[in-house]
Amino acid sequence: MKKKIKVLISACLLGDNVKYSGGNNLTPELVTLLEKYNVNIVKVCPECFAGLPIPRLPSEIKEGKVYSKDGRDITEEFLDGAEKTYEVVERKQADFAILKERSPSCGSSYIYDGSFSGKVIEGQGFTTRKLNEENIIVFSEENLEEIEKYLQELSK
Ligand code: SF4
């Protein structure tokens, strides 16, 4: 029997209330796609793995470091969250990842610019960068067509 596809997914995208505000980013179209391909889900939240509380102040990346909105440098926590998420990929042998766009941990194409003004720039979150360095493919929930193509490839 063919092995089930295993995908690492940001927990907030599946409806877990782990984001900084205490809410979630449930993306029903993503859930439907994962069900269609009978995917084995590995849920992660790098910021939770790092021991950051829920709710917590929003944080953004500026000049390679992460700051919470009160100006505290929380780069170490984000590095820790990235490392622990990678350990989960390794342990669970996930095929690829789908992480929340624009997050300072999970963003894969865009992040906020560090000014806490809502401005978005090109860039990656700390966890995505770590996974990419380890040759793990990371998609965002905004690329469902690409994700489906990749799932089709893996299902062959
Ligand atoms: Fe979602 Fe990632 Fe932020 Fe956790 S760290 S709340 S999984 S975007």
Side-chain angles (χ1 to χ4, degrees):
M1 205 175 78
K2 205 168 180 334
K3 187 171 122 315
K4 257 184 151 186
I5 299 167
K6 202 179 271 187
V7 188
L8 194 84
I9 304 190
S10 288
C12 59
L13 292 175
L14 301 174
D16 286 15
N17 292 328
V18 292
K19 65 182 277 191
Y20 73 88
S21 62
N24 64 69
N25 299 303
L26 178 64
T27 307
E29 306 82 1
L30 174 62
V31 175
T32 304
L33 186 61
L34 298 170
E35 283 170 358
K36 180 175 168 187
Y37 287 85
N38 196 20
V39 163
N40 197 334
I41 290 168
V42 181
K43 276 200 270 191
V44 292
C45 174
E47 291 170 31
C48 303
F49 290 168
L52 292 167
I54 306 165
R56 53 192 174 275
L57 286 174
S59 50
E60 296 191 2
I61 298 174
K62 186 152 196 166
E63 289 160 8
K65 295 190 149 221
V66 189
Y67 298 94
S68 57
K69 203 172 178 183
D70 60 357
R72 198 162 65 91
D73 182 343
I74 48 171
T75 308
E76 281 307 314
E77 284 90 333
F78 274 64
L79 288 169
D80 183 43
E83 202 55 51
K84 287 183 172 144
T85 304
Y86 175 60
E87 283 166 17
V88 173
V89 181
E90 281 286 275
R91 198 167 60 244
K92 300 280 187 179
Q93 293 286 295
D95 293 294
F96 69 100
I98 304 170
L99 302 182
K100 173 75 184 79
E101 193 62 281
R102 292 182 294 281
S103 148
S105 293
C106 295
S108 51
S109 297
Y110 303 100
I111 51 170
Y112 290 101
D113 75 345
S115 65
F116 293 94
S117 62
K119 194 167 168 240
V120 169
I121 54 172
E122 286 186 7
Q124 291 189 322
F126 273 49
T127 293
T128 300
R129 192 179 65 201
K130 169 71 184 167
L131 298 189
N132 281 168
E133 280 167 7
E134 302 292 346
N135 298 316
I136 313 289
I137 293 175
V138 179
F139 293 100
S140 90
E141 79 288 0
E142 297 182 352
N143 296 103
L144 293 181
E145 273 183 33
E146 273 182 58
I147 294 170
E148 179 149 28
K149 273 190 205 147
Y150 197 61
L151 285 167
Q152 283 168 352
E153 278 301 308
L154 292 178
S155 307
K156 278 180 190 166

